[in-house]
Amino acid sequence: MAADFEIHRDTEGRWYWTFQAGENQTIARGAETYAHRVECIHAISLVRSLAPRCRIFDMTEAGTAKVVAPDAAA
């Protein structure tokens, strides 16, 4: 399954990104909007560069943060 980033503009003309899976299904949307397209592209670049090194934490039990995929931190 391929996934892609898409750049969009909202009704106020501000830029934002989404991460789309197959079948045009939105997996994620950036938390911010940007005044300039280049800022939006920069945010996508940051997500792309950091994602392979990110760990996954299970926060469902009070007071704990269990790493679900320790190999993802390598």
Side-chain angles (χ1 to χ4, degrees):
M1 168 173 67
D4 297 297
F5 286 93
E6 294 181 355
I7 297 172
H8 302 272
R9 288 187 96 170
D10 64 17
T11 57
E12 297 175 5
R14 295 184 57 86
W15 301 90
Y16 69 94
W17 61 265
T18 60
F19 190 54
Q20 304 291 129
E23 310 274 332
N24 202 33
Q25 190 176 30
T26 301
I27 298 172
R29 178 182 165 152
E32 297 181 49
T33 60
Y34 304 92
H36 304 284
R37 184 175 179 270
V38 69
E39 295 169 328
C40 186
I41 293 170
H42 178 70
I44 292 169
S45 298
L46 289 174
V47 172
R48 290 179 72 193
S49 69
L50 295 172
R53 297 188 302 269
C54 291
R55 295 173 288 173
I56 301 170
F57 289 94
D58 181 347
M59 306 297 285
T60 58
E61 294 182 35
T64 65
K66 295 180 186 174
V67 177
V68 175
D71 57 324

